[in-house]
Amino acid sequence: MSHKIGLVGKPSVGKSSFFNAATMNDVPEGAYPFTTIDPSVGEAYVRVECAAPEFDESCTPSVGFCDDGVRFVPVKLVDVAGLIPGAHEGKGLGNQFLTDLNEADVLVHVVDFSGETDIEGEPTEGHDPREDIDFLEDELDMWYLDILEKGLDRYRSGYNGEEKNVEEDLAEQMSAFKTNKDEIKQVILGLGLGLDPEEWDDDDKEAVAREIRKRTKPMVIAANKMDKPVAQENYEEITSDPDYDHLSFVPASAHAEKALKKAAESGVVDYRAGDGDFEIVGDISEEQEAGLEQIREFVAEFDGTGVQAALETALFDEMGAIAIFPGSANGRGDTQGVFRDCFILPEDSTTEDFAYHLHSDIGDGLLHGIDCHTKRQVGADHVLSHRDVVEIVTTN
């Protein structure tokens, strides 16, 4: 599991419920702040269409599982605790919150779209979910701005007595965000700014910090509690607001997903995570059936509960990650099984990147790859595509 999805949100919005629904872990849930204090880490799954049928094979996964041609590939899901106003100033669990958050590759922000929790996570009515969205983005932007300011101080002081470009000093200061001088230079020039920070005003600095944050901490909004009519009204209004065009929204009901998974475990329903329908197969009471039919209406309208969709939107759409199957030119896996593995790699990964992902020795001895779909040889710098099946030819 080489990628980590961070789950974030203010207290009492259903974040722990979302985490439990995705992982089926037993993390405490409650309608009060700081139910979760320490970050919880669990195994969730993202769906990938299995490549084995394209080669007239049946896969034998070494991790995860395959269900009727849909591969469920494990990823790490982290329930990050401590988001409160002033977190970037160290309030609440501020510093620990930011440290835990920074370990995530991509974020899913769980927002209560019913408006039934205020900015502090306390019960209320009529709260605008936009305040929660703005709140998190502002906290992150101020966090980035603080570190950017330290990078500018480093630049002005001529750190180490060396003459450097501003993008180099900012990249060194902000290296924890997995950025680099080329990306920072691109951000600065893309905003129409010069490379002399003495010419920047406060708004310019905030704009640079915000753009770096957007690039290095991609985010999806999980619009939770969408099984409530008021949440659906808020969703229509907010997703039509041009101020939020830069964000991806996924309608979700963590409650519905967890209910269906529990029902499936007890043999009451036939349900596969992420599906837009399910079948009742067990004996249940009229009350239970009424509850399940209410859930059915929701998943039919939104093509699922949204829990799987939020994770996959974050990883594949926002982050641009790709799934790669190791194979051989005849389409088979190694001697231990057929299509045993499916790896999630970063966007624009090459044959060489894949070889090193498998093992450093394999990368060191790389000769070339073979695209198992076309049987054509591909070079070390060949950029891979989602669901490629690649054989690595190596001296090691």
Side-chain angles (χ1 to χ4, degrees), residues 146-177 179-182 184-185 188 195 197 200 212:
D146 180 59
I147 297 174
L148 181 137
E149 291 277 16
K150 293 175 181 177
L152 293 179
D153 290 341
R154 179 192 188 111
Y155 170 76
R156 296 187 191 100
S157 66
Y159 185 73
N160 281 342
E162 299 176 6
E163 184 177 346
K164 293 185 179 181
N165 298 320
V166 64
E167 63 268 25
E168 292 179 347
D169 282 305
L170 290 181
E172 288 185 27
Q173 191 67 42
M174 307 183 83
S175 60
F177 297 132
T179 188
N180 56 63
K181 64 179 183 179
D182 293 332
I184 289 179
K185 184 176 182 179
I188 294 169
L195 294 175
W200 301 353
I212 295 173

Side-chain angles (χ1 to χ4, degrees), residues 307-386:
V307 172
Q308 278 295 136
L311 301 180
E312 291 154 7
T313 299
L315 195 64
F316 295 126
D317 296 341
E318 288 302 308
M319 190 176 168
I322 57 175
I324 304 297
F325 295 86
S328 60
N330 63 8
R332 296 186 64 84
D334 59 29
T335 57
Q336 294 177 309
V338 179
F339 286 95
R340 297 177 63 250
D341 298 308
C342 178
F343 297 104
I344 307 296
L345 271 63
E347 185 178 22
D348 296 328
S349 290
T350 63
T351 304
E352 182 178 40
D353 294 330
F354 182 39
Y356 275 107
H357 182 84
L358 294 173
H359 197 281
S360 58
D361 288 345
I362 294 175
D364 289 342
L366 175 66
L367 297 175
H368 57 81
I370 297 176
D371 182 329
C372 296
H373 281 109
T374 65
K375 308 292 180 64
R376 293 179 179 176
Q377 181 175 311
V378 293
D381 59 353
H382 171 73
V383 178
L384 303 177
S385 298
H386 185 55

Side-chain angles (χ1 to χ4, degrees), residues 104-107 137 140-141 144 174 177-191 207-219 246 318-320 347:
D105 299 302
V106 63
L107 304 178
E137 291 202 292
L140 297 185
D141 289 346
Y144 271 63
M174 307 183 83
F177 297 132
K178 300 177 183 177
T179 188
N180 56 63
K181 64 179 183 179
D182 293 332
E183 184 174 40
I184 289 179
K185 184 176 182 179
Q186 188 180 57
V187 165
I188 294 169
L189 298 179
L191 291 170
V208 172
R210 184 179 304 110
E211 186 60 28
I212 295 173
R213 188 267 301 169
K214 288 180 180 178
R215 289 177 178 232
T216 59
K217 278 289 173 281
M219 185 188 310
H246 64 287
E318 288 302 308
M319 190 176 168
E347 185 178 22

Side-chain angles (χ1 to χ4, degrees), residues 108-167:
V108 173
H109 182 192
V110 181
V111 177
D112 177 1
F113 262 57
S114 71
E116 295 176 349
T117 48
D118 65 18
I119 201 68
E120 300 282 353
E122 300 292 343
T124 189
E125 291 183 3
H127 179 72
D128 190 343
R130 276 174 285 211
E131 292 186 27
D132 298 349
I133 298 170
D134 296 343
F135 161 49
L136 175 59
E137 291 202 292
D138 289 345
E139 284 291 335
L140 297 185
D141 289 346
M142 291 303 100
W143 174 35
Y144 271 63
L145 178 61
D146 180 59
I147 297 174
L148 181 137
E149 291 277 16
K150 293 175 181 177
L152 293 179
D153 290 341
R154 179 192 188 111
Y155 170 76
R156 296 187 191 100
S157 66
Y159 185 73
N160 281 342
E162 299 176 6
E163 184 177 346
K164 293 185 179 181
N165 298 320
V166 64
E167 63 268 25

